[in-house]
Amino acid sequence: MSDIASSYWAAPPISRTIATAVFACSVAVYTGMISGYPFFFHYSTLLQFPPAVHRLVTSFLITGPNLSVIFESYFIYSYLSQLEKGNSKFSKKEDLIWYLMFVGGVIITLNQIFTGAGHYLPALLIAVCYTATQDKRGQTAHFYIVNVPAQTMPYCMLLLNMLLQGPSSFFVGLTGLVSAHLHDFLVRLYPEFGNGPNLIPTPGFLSYIVGTPRVQNTSYGQKFVPRSSGSRSGPLPDSWRSKGPGRRLG
């Protein structure tokens, strides 16, 4: 049991947290422990008082029924961990958080305009899958029991959604593909081929939130280290500290 716990806590924190929330919320809803109503989003819920802002997040936490609870929880962890651990576009945690906020916002907007759907995990899963597999062209990936080119994985998932759950699920998943394409264009394609800037840089406030406070493990427990404002420390100005070691007079 301790090995399982160690492996769990050693997993990438963002991926681990999201996958755990998806699995736990889905199990709780499908077993009747909690109501599924707070996990449904419609724009009108933001107009009530107080606004149901939490639905912007909870609408991404419910999988399909039955075995989909296991498979979709695993897939969201697998692809998110690939982005968190080994993708150059997400060198910092706040970059991945901003990516999730951006694609999530696009997914919600497109579905509210075109499909009317209120649950968005399938779309987010396809978006994350697309982003994770774009750097794996020429490699193969396992899609259930068959091997397919890695970059075709999101399209295979779209097709499977349509076959198992109908056209409505296909269009929900399509919004995830569009959101991932849009993010890739604004962050990578336009700067590389259009000689322009990154049009959606990670906001500075996210870097501040993620970096403050920082937790360090010590022999006597945990301590919080406030965010550093740079290399400068102490009350002396930089011009004083850059003059070398002090000398005693007299």
Side-chain angles (χ1 to χ4, degrees):
M1 185 64 68
S2 61
D3 291 339
I4 296 176
S6 299
S7 299
Y8 176 81
W9 291 112
I14 297 176
S15 310
R16 178 187 68 215
T17 301
I18 293 177
T20 301
V22 167
F23 180 78
C25 291
S26 299
V27 169
V29 168
Y30 288 122
T31 57
M33 296 174 60
I34 60 176
S35 170
Y37 179 69
F39 297 88
F40 176 85
F41 179 82
H42 188 268
Y43 71 89
S44 61
T45 60
L46 297 179
L47 305 179
Q48 65 188 23
F49 184 83
V53 180
H54 64 278
R55 295 175 187 260
L56 294 171
V57 176
T58 57
S59 55
F60 289 92
L61 298 181
I62 300 299
T63 68
N66 304 321
L67 289 178
S68 294
V69 174
I70 298 175
F71 285 121
E72 292 183 18
S73 298
Y74 168 76
F75 283 138
I76 197 68
Y77 169 77
S78 177
Y79 291 121
L80 270 178
S81 63
Q82 291 177 37
L83 297 183
E84 191 171 358
K85 293 189 299 184
N87 193 293
S88 59
K89 289 197 298 184
F90 309 107
S91 57
K92 297 179 291 186
K93 288 182 174 59
E94 55 264 37
D95 295 333
L96 181 57
I97 295 173
W98 175 238
Y99 163 81
L100 292 172
M101 293 173 64
F102 177 82
V103 298
V106 174
I107 287 170
I108 290 176
T109 301
L110 292 177
N111 278 283
Q112 289 297 298
I113 295 175
F114 296 109
T115 72
H119 295 101
Y120 309 121
L121 181 63
L124 179 63
L125 181 55
I126 289 177
V128 174
C129 176
Y130 173 85
T131 304
T133 56
Q134 286 309 292
D135 294 335
K136 297 184 177 180
R137 294 182 178 274
Q139 302 180 31
T140 59
H142 295 286
F143 184 68
Y144 292 96
I145 59 174
V146 297
N147 290 330
V148 297
Q151 69 272 16
T152 66
M153 280 290 291
Y155 305 100
C156 293
M157 296 174 71
L158 266 178
L159 180 61
L160 185 65
N161 285 348
M162 184 177 67
L163 294 177
L164 296 181
Q165 303 179 33
S168 60
S169 179
F170 172 83
F171 288 113
V172 171
L174 192 61
T175 64
L177 194 61
V178 171
S179 69
H181 269 292
L182 180 60
H183 182 273
D184 193 46
F185 173 78
L186 297 176
V187 171
R188 183 180 65 87
L189 294 179
Y190 179 69
E192 285 186 7
F193 300 102
N195 296 320
N198 177 355
L199 297 177
I200 49 170
T202 302
F205 75 87
L206 277 181
S207 299
Y208 182 83
I209 292 173
V210 171
T212 308
R214 293 175 295 176
V215 179
Q216 288 186 355
N217 294 317
T218 67
S219 58
Y220 53 83
Q222 291 183 330
K223 69 175 182 179
F224 291 92
V225 181
R227 180 181 175 87
S228 172
S229 59
S231 60
R232 174 177 175 175
S233 61
L236 297 178
D238 289 340
S239 59
W240 287 26
R241 291 187 291 107
S242 61
K243 299 303 182 182
R247 294 289 186 267
R248 181 177 178 179
L249 299 178

